[in-house]
């Protein structure tokens, strides 16, 4: 099941990069929780499919362009750590974002039930119980 979970995570970022909210909702649990409280810009926690919709709206309002690139994935039981390279240009001006972060995805019965954003990749690995 773990390789299937990795494929689901990769598809999730494909959906995000295309702005395909419905595609992302289809693969996530109805009670999906996105804990993005560690973000520098717009820290928040989003719940359910309405939360996914709000997250995408918030991204589109804040960013003229934003792209998530999966550099690597690591499997930890029913969890997947996605190591990301993110680039974006704010609608408000200022420097462009170019950073590497991690999202820890948790699965139940083959569906993502939650994710948590980490600015520090090592903290994501630790939270997943993986060696740094």
């Amino acid at each position: 099941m773990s390789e299937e979970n990795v494929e689901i995570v990769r598809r999730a970022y494909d959906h995000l990069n295309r702005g395909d909210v419905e595609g992302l909702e289809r693969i996530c649990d109805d009670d999906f929780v996105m804990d993005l409280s560690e973000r520098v810009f717009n820290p928040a926690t989003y719940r359910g499919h309405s939360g996914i919709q709000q997250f995408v709206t918030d991204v589109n309002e804040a960013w003229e362009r934003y792209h998530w690139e999966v550099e690597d994935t690591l499997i930890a039981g029913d969890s997947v750590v996605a190591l990301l390279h993110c680039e974006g240009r704010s609608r408000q001006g200022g420097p462009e974002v170019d950073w590497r972060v991690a999202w820890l995805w948790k699965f139940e019965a083959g569906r993502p039930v939650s994710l948590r954003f980490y600015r520090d990749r090592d903290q994501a690995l630790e939270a997943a119980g993986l060696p740094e």
Side-chain angles (χ1 to χ4, degrees):
M1 182 63 87
S2 54
E3 286 302 322
E4 289 88 356
N5 291 353
V6 167
E7 182 54 35
I8 290 168
V9 166
R10 289 186 179 280
R11 277 198 327 252
Y13 292 108
D14 287 340
H15 290 305
L16 280 171
N17 286 325
R18 289 193 320 266
D20 180 5
V21 177
E22 291 176 0
L24 185 56
E25 289 174 345
R26 275 193 303 276
I27 63 175
C28 293
D29 189 78
D30 292 344
D31 296 322
F32 186 67
V33 175
M34 301 176 76
D35 180 353
L36 302 167
S37 58
E38 196 175 308
R39 288 189 304 185
V40 173
F41 304 106
N42 304 321
T45 299
Y46 302 89
R47 300 183 190 289
H49 288 182
S50 62
I52 292 171
Q53 294 166 11
Q54 186 61 53
F55 168 71
V56 172
T57 297
D58 289 351
V59 168
N60 290 334
E61 286 177 357
W63 301 98
E64 179 180 320
R65 176 185 54 78
Y66 202 91
H67 182 79
W68 294 268
E69 177 188 344
V70 179
E71 292 185 321
D72 199 5
T73 55
L74 300 150
I75 299 166
D78 288 336
S79 298
V80 175
V81 178
L83 302 177
L84 305 173
H85 178 210
C86 301
E87 296 180 290
R89 180 178 24 239
S90 171
R91 292 193 182 279
Q92 306 304 318
E96 292 192 10
V97 170
D98 184 348
W99 58 353
R100 285 173 166 77
V101 298
W103 286 19
L104 173 58
W105 294 76
K106 293 193 177 182
F107 284 76
E108 289 180 11
R111 293 193 66 169
V113 294
S114 68
L115 70 78
R116 181 165 179 202
F117 167 86
Y118 290 87
R119 284 184 280 174
D120 183 319
R121 288 176 163 195
D122 289 339
Q123 287 180 347
L125 297 177
E126 183 180 324
L130 295 169
E132 297 177 24

